[in-house]
Amino acid sequence: MALEHLSFKGGYHVTDYKELSNQAALEQGPKPELVRISLHQHIGAPCEPLVKRKDEVKVGQKIGDSKATISAPIHSSVSGVVTKIEEVPNNQGGVSKTVIIESDGKFEKCFETKNNDYTQMTPEQIIELVREAGIVGLGGAGFPASVKLTKRRPDQVIDTMIINGAECEPYLTSDQMAMENFPEMVFKGLDIAMRAMGAKKGYIAVEDNKPKAIEALKAFESKYENIEIASLKTKYPQGDMRRLIVAITGKKLPKSTSATNEGIQVFNASTAIGIYQAVVEEKPLYEKIVTVTGNALKKPKNLMVPIGTSVEELISYCGGFKEEPGKVVIGGPMMGSSQFTLDIPTVKTTGGIICMTKEEAKPPIVSPCIKCGKCVDVCPVNLMPLYIQQRALLDHFEEANKLGIMDCIECGTCSYICPSNRPLVEAIIYGKNQIMAQELSR
């Protein structure tokens, strides 16, 4: 099978605005005088602080951990003094316990960069190093990588591993920058993950609107007999795990089956780099690449950012706003979160900050459904969004459930394509929340 222009049924090539930042070279971001580091930056149990007020810390020092199986340690991104531990607003509209550190400006590290030979390590040693470094899914999900690298049972077989470099959300170019600047780390991170799980075949999947990233990766492809680069057709939501698996392997996973049950595991491209740095260099995850972009911003950039830096400081570092924004979104515009304040810290999963103009953020005029069927054509899960929305808005949740509302991946492609500007995905999310609330109350 030629690994070029691979894709899946459905989806749509949305206007991506990547040209705003995809030519901006990766640069070091601001060195913050103060960071606010959340103790809950991952799926699973939040960490408890390992430091207290007035404690001195260094870069890479562990400041939070948990005994829970699904969790990941938190590390300091600056050297300095802990001034407070308190609840701080997060980018999901809630609050989380946060360690506030005043930097001394020295950025002294508590670790020395190693050069470990991972080929001589056992899976258990690899997994422990990944856990201690606090590596989580950096594509937005934030699932602890050490848990994903651990087999659920001794006889579980993982034969295929895929690195997701699709980055199909509009505006975002942080993974593109990661692959262009650290291509060998992507390969070695995948090789390490494959060794940990005993996988025999690996793929690095990149959308074909990232030719520089593909070229950079191809320079190392010949060194790895069991790893291939797969070029994906540029289409949203190509980066969804199940859509990616279909495109690469042709396997359509049953709705009730996880990828690992089919012998497949998927990691984000930036996560692969984190795995390499954790195992080979023993570097904790305390900084990451963030795309700061949008038509309301003066100078879009791709920045290497100490975790805990405020969104407001990053926008200011990019020259500030060239006009009053209508909306600031953390993550991609399709599935990200609109913010009510800029006074929030970045976390491990912050891949992008999008500053939209008032015109771009203006709510569209909604018209009656014309039954064109476009939402059905583009749905990557083969649902009928127009009918599900109708049932959800009428509070006919049982009927919506029968139509497969809980299978929706909330990608938003249906809302994007709708000529009547129907809020399809919003209604579906409302319906799903109501169904889950009813189930919990039983």
Side-chain angles (χ1 to χ4, degrees):
M1 177 178 73
L3 298 178
E4 294 182 353
H5 308 300
L6 304 179
S7 192
F8 61 97
K9 183 179 181 295
Y12 189 74
H13 186 179
V14 303
T15 304
D16 59 27
Y17 299 102
K18 291 182 185 285
E19 70 279 359
L20 293 173
S21 62
N22 65 8
Q23 299 303 313
L26 176 62
E27 59 182 277
Q28 185 65 47
K31 292 186 175 181
E33 295 180 358
L34 181 140
V35 292
R36 292 170 293 172
I37 303 177
S38 170
L39 291 170
H40 195 190
Q41 302 187 38
H42 46 263
I43 290 175
C47 293
E48 290 300 321
L50 300 177
V51 292
K52 61 184 182 301
R53 185 173 174 271
K54 295 185 178 181
D55 279 357
E56 293 185 359
V57 296
K58 292 185 178 181
V59 175
Q61 181 177 328
K62 192 192 295 187
I63 60 174
D65 205 347
S66 169
K67 294 181 180 180
T69 301
I70 302 179
S71 189
I74 304 292
H75 302 79
S76 177
S77 59
V78 298
S79 57
V81 178
V82 176
T83 59
K84 294 179 183 178
I85 299 175
E86 63 182 12
E87 299 287 334
V88 167
N90 58 42
N91 62 21
Q92 298 299 314
V95 295
S96 54
K97 186 181 289 185
T98 299
V99 178
I100 301 174
I101 305 170
E102 187 176 298
S103 174
D104 59 14
K106 298 177 182 178
F107 289 86
E108 291 183 70
K109 297 178 180 178
C110 72
F111 66 97
E112 292 183 6
T113 301
K114 305 288 180 62
N115 187 22
N116 296 329
D117 182 1
Y118 67 84
T119 64
Q120 302 302 310
M121 292 184 181
T122 65
E124 291 76 19
Q125 289 173 321
I126 289 172
I127 292 167
E128 180 60 21
L129 285 170
V130 170
R131 189 203 178 277
E132 282 301 299
I135 308 302
V136 302
L138 299 178
F143 197 90
S146 61
V147 179
K148 289 186 72 172
L149 288 172
T150 303
K151 292 184 178 181
R152 295 182 181 179
R153 57 183 190 278
D155 63 341
Q156 185 178 34
V157 176
I158 302 296
D159 52 42
T160 303
M161 299 195 79
I162 301 172
I163 294 301
N164 184 351
E167 197 170 41
C168 61
E169 276 267 14
Y171 292 95
L172 305 186
T173 54
S174 54
D175 281 342
Q176 177 183 333
M177 290 300 111
M179 292 183 287
E180 287 182 13
N181 286 273
F182 311 108
E184 189 171 17
M185 289 188 187
V186 177
F187 269 95
K188 287 186 175 181
L190 174 55
D191 192 35
I192 291 168
M194 291 170 65
R195 288 172 184 272
M197 301 203 81
K200 303 301 182 185
K201 186 64 182 176
Y203 299 94
I204 300 174
V206 189
E207 280 194 335
D208 53 20
N209 64 348
K210 303 173 183 60
K212 288 184 180 179
I214 293 174
E215 182 181 0
L217 290 163
K218 280 189 176 295
F220 296 93
E221 188 174 21
S222 61
K223 296 182 179 181
Y224 299 85
E225 293 183 359
N226 54 350
I227 298 176
E228 291 184 82
I229 297 169
S231 172
L232 305 170
K233 185 177 179 180
T234 301
K235 185 170 65 170
Y236 182 83
Q238 185 72 78
D240 175 72
M241 183 188 70
R242 289 174 181 263
R243 269 22 78 186
L244 188 69
I245 289 172
V246 169
I248 300 293
T249 70
K251 289 184 179 181
K252 294 183 179 181
L253 304 186
K255 296 173 183 177
S256 59
T257 301
S258 68
T260 53
N261 285 341
E262 295 295 317
I264 303 170
Q265 187 59 283
V266 180
F267 286 95
N268 167 265
S270 293
T271 309
I273 293 172
I275 290 172
Y276 165 83
Q277 291 176 327
V279 175
V280 175
E281 300 177 355
E282 295 191 27
K283 176 187 175 182
L285 178 57
Y286 58 82
E287 61 180 357
K288 72 164 310 218
I289 302 173
V290 179
T291 301
V292 189
T293 186
N295 286 308
L297 189 70
K298 284 185 179 177
K299 298 177 182 178
K301 295 176 180 287
N302 295 293
L303 303 174
M304 184 67 79
V305 176
I307 291 168
T309 307
S310 79
V311 169
E312 189 170 29
E313 187 170 355
L314 293 179
I315 290 173
S316 176
Y317 188 80
C318 294
F321 299 119
K322 63 182 180 183
E323 62 178 272
E324 187 179 352
K327 184 184 292 186
V328 174
V329 175
I330 300 295
M334 303 295 281
M335 300 183 73
S337 303
S338 181
Q339 302 303 302
F340 66 91
T341 177
L342 301 181
D343 189 27
I344 52 171
T346 55
V347 293
K348 294 178 182 181
T349 55
T350 304
I353 300 168
I354 306 171
C355 307
M356 297 183 174
T357 66
K358 285 189 173 181
E359 184 62 30
E360 290 170 330
K362 185 188 299 180
I365 297 173
V366 179
S367 304
C369 176
I370 60 173
K371 302 294 192 296
C372 66
K374 288 185 176 181
C375 62
V376 178
D377 292 338
V378 301
C379 179
V381 196
N382 299 317
L383 301 177
M384 295 186 288
L386 71 164
Y387 294 120
I388 296 175
Q389 182 213 33
Q390 181 187 62
R391 303 311 195 272
L393 293 179
L394 291 172
D395 288 351
H396 295 171
F397 303 124
E398 186 174 340
E399 293 178 27
N401 213 353
K402 290 179 180 178
L403 289 171
I405 188 172
M406 301 308 291
D407 295 326
C408 172
I409 62 173
E410 302 174 18
C411 67
T413 316
C414 55
S415 293
Y416 181 91
I417 196 67
C418 179
S420 298
N421 297 314
R422 305 289 296 171
L424 296 164
V425 71
E426 292 87 347
I428 290 172
I429 292 172
Y430 162 74
K432 290 172 74 172
N433 288 339
Q434 294 301 311
I435 289 170
M436 288 187 287
Q438 289 178 357
E439 290 178 351
L440 287 172
S441 64
R442 289 172 184 167

